[in-house]
Amino acid sequence: MKNFGLLTKIIIAIIVGIIIGSFVNEWFIQLLATFNSIFGNFISFIIPFIILGFITPGIGEIGRGAGKLLGISAFFAYASTILAGIIAFLVAKSLYPSLLNGQSLHSVTDPTEGLTEPFFTVPMTPPFEVVTALIISFVLGIGLASIHSEKLLGIFLDLRAIVQLVIEKVIIPLLPFHILGIFANMTYTGQVATIITVFAKVMLMILILHLLYLVLQYSIAGTLSRQNPFVMLKKMSPAYFTALGTQSSAATIPVTLKQTKSLGVKESIADFTIPLYANIHLSGSTITLISCSLAVLFLNGEPATMQSYLPFILMLGITMVAAPGVPGGAVMAAIGLLETMLGFNQAMVSLMIALYLAQDSLGTACNVTGDGAITSIVNTIFKK
């Protein structure tokens, strides 16, 4: 699979997993379950390091910006991300009862239990809990921004580089095999038909939500700057399609920057906000995460209310700050919150990863295209 993109690898893994699960014996499923158990435990172990390695220097670097411009830019990025999450929740909550009617797993069984119990497990206890990692990250990040310690910031930047290397060289390459094992297990236990049907419906809904949210963003930006929002969207389309290919906001920055300046944004503002928004404005990823997590909960028969989801959405907007510029970075940063705030078990997290990565490029494209709209809004405010 070396020469394929991540999305292609995920699709191949799902297909191969379904084929394997339809004819192999229990011994082979146990072998896959053993790999899934070890890999799942490793992901749980690395989550606190992902949070600490990305949120701490992310807040520290952001806090070293240009005062008022930074504050306003960060406010609109966070507001856009949170609004996207709330809209996604309301839409999914309204549509899923009819869209996914009759499709339930009753209980998303853990692939390491029952008939598919692994041959052995390797316990990997995280050094500290997810909430502890978040608190430490916020305290250290704000502290770094306040005392301007170059040495301490350098340490956390090095930690971020190490964690990103683990994600790029270990987690991302092994994820397709993990997903293969999940789908082989679900085929073996007769659950895969439900999952595939849900995948198709949820992905279509997410794509439509992304496009509608971009129209909303550019309608606001166009109204404030007195431009046609659809003309603005057309100008930003190269950034959208570039992000579909790169699956990385960071890798798309040059194109996003060029197209944003074509909207009439002041060059100095675009130069400041676009690299910033590549790390902190994740409206598309938030729509995807909320929609996918609700789908997994719906399949599992678990209740979901705005009271339980709003804290998750608010924390998600912060946790994904400076998420790694690699495919799947947002969902990796969100796994801890899924487990601690929504009660996801390992199998539910695996389903969530598969759902998310199958359309990760769409979320990234929505993120970077929306960056142009938010930058235009900031530019209009500073003009006035």
Side-chain angles (χ1 to χ4, degrees), residues 128 186 219 325:
F128 35 78
M186 290 194 167
S219 295

Side-chain angles (χ1 to χ4, degrees), residues 7 199-200 202-211 214 239-249 282-288 355-370:
L7 176 58
F199 263 41
V202 170
M203 285 181 66
L204 179 60
M205 187 197 78
I206 288 172
L207 174 60
I208 294 172
L209 268 177
H210 283 166
L211 297 177
L214 286 174
Y240 184 92
F241 289 107
T242 300
L244 284 178
T246 63
Q247 293 182 262
S248 169
S249 297
L282 295 149
S283 56
S285 297
T286 301
I287 288 173
T288 303
L355 270 169
Y356 183 90
L357 290 181
Q359 56 70 71
D360 183 34
S361 58
L362 295 176
T364 303
C366 182
N367 291 341
V368 302
T369 308

Side-chain angles (χ1 to χ4, degrees), residues 51 130-141:
I51 293 172
V130 169
V131 175
T132 303
L134 285 169
I135 294 173
I136 293 174
S137 297
F138 295 152
V139 171
L140 290 177

Side-chain angles (χ1 to χ4, degrees), residues 3 5 10 18 52-53 123 161 184 201 221 243-244 251 254 267 286 300 383:
N3 295 323
I10 296 299
I18 293 172
L52 193 63
K201 292 180 178 180
L244 284 178
E267 188 168 331
T286 301
N300 201 35
K383 275 185 178 180

